[in-house]
Amino acid sequence: MAAFYDSRIGFDQCILLVVMSIFCCVCVHGSDPPLTLDYYKEKCPNVLEIVRNEMECAVLSDPRNAALILRLHFHDCFVQGCDGSVLLDDTITLQGEKNAPNNKNSLKGFRTIDRIKNILESECPGIVSCADILTVAARDAVVLVGGPFWEVPLGRKDSKTAGYELSNTNLPTADDGLLSIISKFIYQGLSVTDMVALSGAHTIGLARCVNFRERIYGDFPITSAMNSASETYLKNLKSICPPGIGEDNKESAMDYVTPNLFDNSYYQVLLRGEGLLNSDQELYSSILGVETKKIVQKYAENPIAFFEQFSESMVKLGNITNPETYVDGEVRKNCRFANT
Ligand code: HEM
Ligand SMILES: *[C@@H]1O[C@H](CO)[C@@H](O)[C@H](O)[C@H]1NC(C)=O
């Protein structure tokens, strides 16, 4: 089943659908997005190799780049579906998503996508969508830091618009409670299991002080055992992130044990009550999280189970589409701007 960001259809589209279904017996609505594994096989046979090579360079030069690209893809898909909307710059007529509060001073990695797009435009101009580039790049990012591999269905279109307001409402935040986070995933057609597995992305990458200050001056000592190791960790976090205001953009790893490795150590950190973000620790410690707690325990014990579910859930994440984009979408020439 596809998750529809907006499943209403207008009268004119309805007539069109009736006419279409009379002639070709196709019900566009409610069907899975038309994504296929061999979408570029004829039109751009080297696409996967090119993305992979560029991602290799990017991650080799700085493993943080893997985290940046993975998060970009997530923030793309939760706003209007996976349509490259997150990549659009502000213009006079378009308010992009980059400056929405959840993204500002936080989302990065755009130049990596630009570089890949440039190469693909010279290799096969006008063929590969920015949304597909981002989806494949996110998969490669995970593989390159030690995570699982999965096949990526392709054929997404790029949007001509962005969703500034939707960025504010759809994206989960560090201080969201567990139920709020669950409902934001359900809204996208993703289950509680998908949510817990996809949160495992926080096994790589950094968060800023502004997003974990309340947690470290709040209930961190309560959720963690406060043995000498976690006391040292907390002291270190407090030195990075002072109380009150200031140093909002100072960063710390969400998985402090293996910050550059895609493994299941994030869940083990949660078992010890040492999750950096409030939203992370809630998966294990919330009184409302009976189900999520069990899943966290499972992935902490069983890295294979985590990898398998993460792969499947990433395909589901990448499948989120706005059906209108298939009718109205395009393949952008420059990922930062809709074609004129
Ligand atoms: C479950 C709800 C989620 C919440 C509340 C959440 C929240 C956050 C926050 C607050 C940050 C730090 C941003 C900053 O301080 O600038 C972050 C970073 C990150 N998130 Fe999430 N996230 C969630 C789910 C996901 C998912 C599903 C993915 C990908 C599949 C993801 C991938 C990442 C990555 C890789 C980073 C590190 C980025 C970097 O190094 O700059 N997150 N997330
Ligand atoms: C994703 O979409 C493709 C078709 O577009 C479908 O074949 C596949 O089953 C979907 N996968 C998941 C996990 O939803």
Side-chain angles (χ1 to χ4, degrees):
M1 263 295 289
F4 293 144
Y5 130 76
D6 185 348
S7 55
R8 285 168 300 175
I9 51 172
F11 182 70
D12 49 339
Q13 286 162 297
C14 193
I15 299 283
L16 187 70
L17 272 182
V18 170
V19 172
M20 273 174 67
S21 53
I22 289 169
F23 284 102
C24 34
C25 303
V26 171
C27 179
V28 175
H29 228 73
S31 64
D32 272 321
L35 304 177
T36 53
L37 295 178
D38 56 1
Y39 188 81
Y40 295 112
K41 200 175 166 195
E42 313 286 324
K43 289 174 283 190
C44 193
N46 295 329
V47 60
L48 295 180
E49 208 183 304
I50 290 169
V51 176
R52 173 61 183 245
N53 281 341
E54 286 311 301
M55 284 306 294
E56 246 172 61
C57 292
V59 175
L60 205 65
S61 79
D62 184 353
R64 175 79 180 282
N65 285 324
L68 299 178
I69 298 300
L70 179 55
R71 184 160 189 248
L72 262 190
H73 174 55
F74 167 51
H75 282 213
D76 184 27
C77 296
F78 262 47
V79 175
Q80 306 184 156
C82 314
D83 60 357
S85 58
V86 76
L87 303 171
L88 291 169
D89 279 353
D90 287 345
T91 67
I92 296 169
T93 53
L94 182 142
Q95 183 172 30
E97 296 164 17
K98 293 175 182 180
N99 288 316
N102 287 326
N103 292 334
K104 199 177 168 141
N105 295 325
S106 182
L107 279 192
K108 292 170 202 150
F110 300 104
R111 266 173 294 174
T112 305
I113 300 302
D114 289 340
R115 201 175 313 120
I116 299 172
K117 179 63 175 174
N118 278 339
I119 298 170
L120 286 171
E121 281 304 294
S122 57
E123 174 94 3
C124 12
I127 299 294
V128 186
S129 69
C130 299
D132 275 346
I133 294 174
L134 190 49
T135 313
V136 174
R139 187 274 312 274
D140 290 343
V142 170
V143 171
L144 287 163
V145 288
F149 173 91
W150 62 91
E151 301 281 356
V152 176
L154 295 167
R156 292 166 193 78
K157 288 280 178 2
D158 296 324
S159 69
K160 295 172 180 169
T161 58
Y164 181 90
E165 292 302 332
L166 283 177
S167 303
N168 300 331
T169 53
N170 291 8
L171 295 171
T173 66
D175 52 358
D176 272 350
L178 183 61
L179 294 188
S180 164
I181 290 174
I182 289 176
S183 67
K184 285 176 180 178
F185 277 73
I186 299 282
Y187 180 73
Q188 303 284 352
L190 300 174
S191 67
V192 171
T193 302
D194 292 322
M195 188 275 287
V196 179
L198 290 172
S199 295
H202 289 179
T203 185
I204 56 172
L206 311 179
R208 290 171 305 138
C209 164
V210 67
N211 284 317
F212 61 80
R213 180 181 280 124
E214 272 186 56
R215 162 90 176 125
I216 61 173
Y217 294 101
D219 68 355
F220 189 103
I222 298 166
T223 58
S224 69
M226 285 317 275
N227 52 31
S228 67
S230 62
E231 250 175 75
T232 307
Y233 177 44
L234 181 57
K235 233 174 106 185
N236 177 39
L237 289 173
K238 287 182 172 174
S239 76
I240 294 167
C241 187
I245 50 163
E247 308 288 11
D248 278 4
N249 291 328
K250 280 275 208 64
E251 294 166 318
S252 189
M254 289 176 282
D255 168 12
Y256 73 98
V257 183
T258 49
N260 292 324
L261 191 63
F262 197 101
D263 58 6
N264 66 336
S265 146
Y266 163 82
Y267 298 103
Q268 294 163 354
V269 168
L270 298 186
L271 290 195
R272 294 196 301 273
E274 297 171 349
L276 182 62
L277 303 179
N278 175 66
S279 50
D280 289 330
Q281 195 56 50
E282 286 238 331
L283 301 179
Y284 185 73
S285 301
S286 168
I287 49 163
L288 303 169
V290 180
E291 192 185 350
T292 57
K293 182 175 185 149
K294 278 190 208 141
I295 305 172
V296 169
Q297 280 165 331
K298 178 173 162 187
Y299 297 157
E301 275 163 30
N302 186 345
I304 310 246
F306 166 49
F307 275 20
E308 279 175 3
Q309 186 60 55
F310 186 81
S311 303
E312 189 190 320
S313 298
M314 281 297 288
V315 175
K316 270 176 94 173
L317 176 68
N319 274 358
I320 302 172
T321 47
N322 175 359
E324 283 166 29
T325 310
Y326 286 98
V327 184
D328 200 36
E330 60 184 13
V331 172
R332 275 179 223 147
K333 292 192 184 74
N334 177 336
C335 292
R336 291 173 184 267
F337 303 101
N339 299 338
T340 44

Coordinates of all heavy atoms in Angstrom, one line a residue, residues 64 67-68 70-71 74 105-106 172-174 181 185 195 198-199 201-202 204-208 211 251 254 277 279 310 314 317, ligand 1:
R64 N 30.8 11.6 8.3 CA 29.6 12.4 8.6 C 28.6 12.6 7.4 O 27.4 12.6 7.5 CB 30.0 13.8 9.1 CG 28.8 14.8 9.4 CD 28.2 14.5 10.7 NE 27.1 15.4 11.0 CZ 27.2 16.6 11.5 NH1 28.4 17.2 11.6 NH2 26.1 17.3 11.7
A67 N 25.7 10.3 7.3 CA 24.6 10.7 8.1 C 23.8 11.8 7.5 O 22.5 11.8 7.5 CB 25.1 11.1 9.5
L68 N 24.5 12.8 6.9 CA 23.8 13.9 6.3 C 22.9 13.5 5.2 O 21.7 14.0 5.1 CB 24.8 14.9 5.8 CG 25.8 15.5 6.8 CD1 26.8 16.5 6.2 CD2 25.1 16.2 8.0
L70 N 21.6 10.5 4.6 CA 20.5 9.6 5.1 C 19.4 10.5 5.7 O 18.2 10.3 5.4 CB 21.0 8.7 6.2 CG 20.1 7.7 6.8 CD1 19.3 6.9 5.8 CD2 20.8 6.8 7.8
R71 N 19.7 11.5 6.5 CA 18.7 12.3 7.1 C 18.0 13.2 6.0 O 16.8 13.4 6.1 CB 19.4 13.3 8.1 CG 18.3 14.1 8.9 CD 18.9 14.6 10.2 NE 17.9 15.2 11.0 CZ 17.9 16.6 11.3 NH1 18.8 17.3 10.8 NH2 16.9 17.1 12.0
F74 N 15.2 11.2 4.5 CA 14.1 11.1 5.5 C 13.3 12.3 5.5 O 12.0 12.3 5.3 CB 14.7 10.8 6.9 CG 13.7 10.9 8.0 CD1 12.5 10.3 8.0 CD2 14.1 11.7 9.2 CE1 11.6 10.5 9.1 CE2 13.2 11.8 10.2 CZ 12.0 11.2 10.2
N105 N 19.9 25.4 9.9 CA 21.1 25.2 10.6 C 21.4 23.7 11.0 O 22.2 23.4 11.8 CB 21.2 26.0 12.0 CG 21.1 27.4 11.8 OD1 21.7 27.9 10.8 ND2 20.4 28.1 12.7
S106 N 20.7 22.9 10.3 CA 20.7 21.5 10.7 C 20.9 20.5 9.5 O 21.8 19.7 9.4 CB 19.4 21.1 11.4 OG 19.4 19.8 11.8
P172 N 9.2 14.8 12.8 CA 9.3 14.6 14.3 C 10.4 15.5 14.8 O 11.4 15.7 14.2 CB 9.6 13.1 14.4 CG 10.2 12.7 13.2 CD 9.7 13.6 12.1
T173 N 10.3 15.9 16.1 CA 11.3 16.7 16.7 C 11.8 16.0 18.0 O 11.2 15.1 18.5 CB 10.8 18.1 17.1 OG1 9.8 18.0 18.1 CG2 10.2 18.8 15.9
A174 N 13.0 16.5 18.5 CA 13.6 15.9 19.6 C 12.8 15.9 20.9 O 12.9 15.0 21.7 CB 15.0 16.5 19.9
I181 N 5.4 11.0 18.0 CA 6.2 10.5 17.0 C 5.5 9.3 16.3 O 5.5 9.2 15.0 CB 7.6 10.0 17.6 CG1 8.4 11.2 18.0 CG2 8.4 9.1 16.6 CD1 9.6 10.9 18.8
F185 N 4.5 8.9 12.1 CA 4.9 7.8 11.2 C 3.6 7.1 10.7 O 3.6 6.8 9.5 CB 5.8 6.8 12.0 CG 7.2 7.2 12.0 CD1 7.7 8.3 12.8 CD2 8.2 6.6 11.2 CE1 9.0 8.7 12.8 CE2 9.5 7.0 11.1 CZ 9.9 8.1 11.9
M195 N 9.0 2.7 12.7 CA 9.5 3.8 13.4 C 10.7 3.5 14.2 O 11.8 4.1 14.2 CB 8.4 4.4 14.2 CG 8.7 5.8 14.8 SD 9.6 5.6 16.4 CE 8.2 5.0 17.5
L198 N 13.7 2.5 11.9 CA 14.3 3.7 11.2 C 15.0 4.6 12.2 O 15.9 5.3 11.8 CB 13.2 4.4 10.4 CG 12.6 3.7 9.2 CD1 11.4 4.4 8.6 CD2 13.7 3.5 8.1
S199 N 14.5 4.7 13.4 CA 15.2 5.5 14.4 C 16.7 5.0 14.6 O 17.5 5.7 15.0 CB 14.5 5.4 15.8 OG 13.2 6.0 15.6
A201 N 18.7 4.8 12.5 CA 19.6 5.7 11.7 C 20.4 6.5 12.7 O 21.5 7.0 12.3 CB 18.8 6.5 10.8
H202 N 20.0 6.8 13.9 CA 20.7 7.6 14.8 C 22.0 6.9 15.4 O 22.6 7.4 16.2 CB 19.8 8.1 16.0 CG 18.8 9.1 15.5 ND1 17.9 9.6 16.4 CD2 18.6 9.7 14.3 CE1 17.1 10.5 15.7 NE2 17.5 10.5 14.5
I204 N 24.4 6.6 13.5 CA 25.4 7.5 13.0 C 24.9 8.9 13.1 O 23.7 9.2 13.2 CB 25.7 7.1 11.5 CG1 24.4 7.2 10.6 CG2 26.4 5.8 11.4 CD1 24.7 7.1 9.1
G205 N 25.9 9.8 13.0 CA 25.5 11.2 13.0 C 25.5 12.0 14.3 O 25.6 11.4 15.4
L206 N 25.3 13.3 14.2 CA 25.4 14.1 15.3 C 24.1 14.9 15.5 O 23.4 15.2 14.6 CB 26.6 15.2 15.1 CG 27.9 14.6 14.7 CD1 28.9 15.7 14.5 CD2 28.5 13.6 15.7
A207 N 23.9 15.3 16.8 CA 22.8 16.2 17.1 C 23.4 17.5 17.8 O 24.5 17.5 18.3 CB 21.8 15.6 18.0
R208 N 22.7 18.6 17.7 CA 23.1 19.9 18.2 C 22.6 20.0 19.6 O 21.5 19.6 20.0 CB 22.7 21.0 17.3 CG 23.4 21.1 16.0 CD 22.8 22.1 15.1 NE 21.4 21.9 14.9 CZ 20.4 22.8 14.9 NH1 20.8 24.1 15.1 NH2 19.2 22.5 14.8
N211 N 19.1 20.6 20.7 CA 18.2 19.5 20.7 C 18.4 18.5 21.8 O 17.6 17.6 21.9 CB 18.3 18.8 19.3 CG 17.7 19.5 18.2 OD1 16.5 20.1 18.4 ND2 18.3 19.7 17.1
E251 N 27.9 20.1 18.6 CA 27.4 18.8 18.2 C 28.0 17.7 19.1 O 29.1 17.7 19.6 CB 27.7 18.6 16.8 CG 26.9 19.5 15.8 CD 27.4 19.5 14.4 OE1 28.7 19.4 14.2 OE2 26.6 19.5 13.5
M254 N 24.9 10.8 18.5 CA 23.8 10.2 19.2 C 24.1 8.7 19.6 O 23.6 8.3 20.6 CB 22.6 10.1 18.2 CG 22.0 11.6 18.1 SD 20.7 11.6 16.9 CE 21.6 11.6 15.4
L277 N 18.9 12.1 22.6 CA 17.7 12.9 22.4 C 16.5 12.3 23.3 O 16.5 11.1 23.5 CB 17.2 12.8 21.0 CG 18.2 13.3 19.9 CD1 17.6 13.1 18.5 CD2 18.7 14.7 20.1
S279 N 13.6 12.1 22.4 CA 12.8 11.2 21.5 C 13.4 9.8 21.4 O 12.7 8.8 21.2 CB 12.6 11.9 20.1 OG 13.9 12.3 19.7
F310 N 15.4 -2.7 9.1 CA 15.8 -1.4 8.6 C 15.7 -1.3 7.1 O 15.2 -0.4 6.5 CB 17.2 -1.1 9.1 CG 17.6 0.4 8.8 CD1 17.2 1.4 9.6 CD2 18.4 0.6 7.7 CE1 17.6 2.7 9.2 CE2 18.8 1.9 7.3 CZ 18.4 3.0 8.1
M314 N 13.2 1.1 5.1 CA 13.8 2.1 4.2 C 13.1 2.1 2.9 O 12.9 3.1 2.3 CB 15.3 1.9 4.1 CG 16.1 2.5 5.2 SD 16.0 4.2 5.5 CE 16.9 4.9 4.2
L317 N 9.9 3.7 3.4 CA 10.1 5.1 3.5 C 10.2 5.7 2.1 O 9.6 6.7 1.8 CB 11.3 5.4 4.3 CG 11.8 6.9 4.5 CD1 10.8 7.7 5.3 CD2 13.2 7.0 5.1
Ligands
HEM1 C1 11.8 8.9 15.1 C2 11.8 10.2 15.0 C3 13.0 11.1 14.8 C4 13.3 12.2 15.5 C5 12.5 12.9 16.6 C6 14.6 12.7 14.9 C7 15.2 13.8 15.3 C8 16.5 14.2 15.0 C9 17.2 15.3 15.5 C10 16.7 16.3 16.5 C11 18.5 15.2 15.0 C12 19.6 16.2 15.3 C13 19.5 17.4 14.3 C14 20.3 18.6 14.8 O1 20.6 18.7 16.0 O2 20.7 19.4 14.0 C15 18.6 14.1 14.1 C16 19.7 13.7 13.4 C17 19.7 12.7 12.5 N1 18.6 11.9 12.1 FE1 16.8 11.9 13.1 N2 15.0 11.8 13.9 C18 14.1 10.9 13.8 C19 14.1 9.8 12.9 C20 15.1 9.7 11.9 C21 15.0 8.8 10.8 C22 13.8 7.9 10.4 C23 16.1 8.9 10.1 C24 16.6 8.2 8.8 C25 16.1 7.1 8.4 C26 17.0 9.8 10.8 C27 18.3 10.2 10.5 C28 19.0 11.0 11.2 C29 20.5 11.2 11.0 C30 21.3 10.3 10.1 C31 20.9 12.2 11.8 C32 22.3 12.8 12.0 C33 22.5 13.9 11.0 C34 23.8 14.6 11.2 O3 24.8 14.0 11.5 O4 23.8 15.9 10.9 N3 16.3 10.3 11.9 N4 17.3 13.5 14.1

